[in-house]
Amino acid sequence: MHGTGTARTGRPREVETAFTLSLVTIAVNVAAWVLGAFVLSPTGFDELRGEMGQRGAVVQILTSAGFLLVVTTLRLVFAFRVRAGRNWARFVVTLIGVLGMFFLLASMSMDGLGWQTVTEDVGDLPLFDMFLSLLDAGVIVLLFLPAANAYFSAGSRTD
């Protein structure tokens, strides 16, 4: 089917697709953290335990998990606010995505592509970071297409 459509909810498909991509990005980030911390050998937890001891590793993993929980919660709130047509949230999501892309580019410019082997932490793989940046770029593009622009400018949606 060609053209832009509106979902039953009155939201354009572009906004619904951007919302879905946002959820995919969040899920991939959480899955990568779990895989890197506890599953893929050598696990992040094992490496921390070797450097800091059991107690230090547990504290560091809990701190990291807490930070991940806060970031994940904020990204979910912004995704739902964008879906509800809040223009301010669209700009926050855009800013977060663009900053992430700049950090990736800065990291690549300092380290080169830094291709690691498969045995290294999945969260440190440049391809993984590029994939997440591409998802964020897709969300941003979708949120600024004409149908999405009309949705965000239709009426004053404030919280």
Side-chain angles (χ1 to χ4, degrees):
M1 179 180 261
H2 295 292
T4 60
T6 303
R8 287 184 217 164
T9 60
R11 286 184 289 273
R13 277 195 198 119
E14 293 83 351
V15 173
E16 286 296 325
T17 304
F19 175 74
T20 302
L21 282 177
S22 294
L23 295 182
V24 168
T25 302
I26 292 165
V28 169
N29 267 318
V30 170
W33 184 88
V34 170
L35 288 172
F38 301 109
V39 178
L40 296 177
S41 186
T43 68
F45 184 74
D46 289 340
E47 289 177 346
L48 286 171
R49 188 174 37 212
E51 292 177 23
M52 309 170 118
Q54 181 73 21
R55 181 173 171 80
V58 169
V59 168
Q60 186 63 37
I61 286 289
L62 289 176
T63 301
S64 178
F67 182 75
L68 178 68
L69 179 64
V70 169
V71 169
T72 300
T73 301
L74 286 172
R75 287 191 74 145
L76 280 170
V77 167
F78 294 139
F80 277 99
R81 296 291 79 205
V82 164
R83 188 177 190 215
R86 304 308 190 259
N87 199 38
W88 64 265
R90 174 172 70 151
F91 285 105
V92 169
V93 166
T94 300
L95 179 64
I96 291 169
V98 169
L99 285 174
M101 289 177 230
F102 280 136
F103 284 128
L104 174 63
L105 290 173
S107 174
M108 289 173 62
S109 72
M110 289 186 291
D111 301 335
L113 290 177
W115 303 108
Q116 289 98 347
T117 63
V118 176
T119 61
E120 292 189 50
D121 184 9
V122 69
D124 290 336
L125 292 173
L127 285 177
F128 174 77
D129 291 336
M130 285 183 231
F131 174 70
L132 289 176
S133 286
L134 285 174
L135 286 176
D136 282 337
V139 168
I140 292 167
V141 167
L142 287 167
L143 292 178
F144 286 91
L145 290 174
N149 278 333
Y151 175 67
F152 287 105
S153 65
S156 59
R157 293 182 177 97
T158 58
D159 286 315

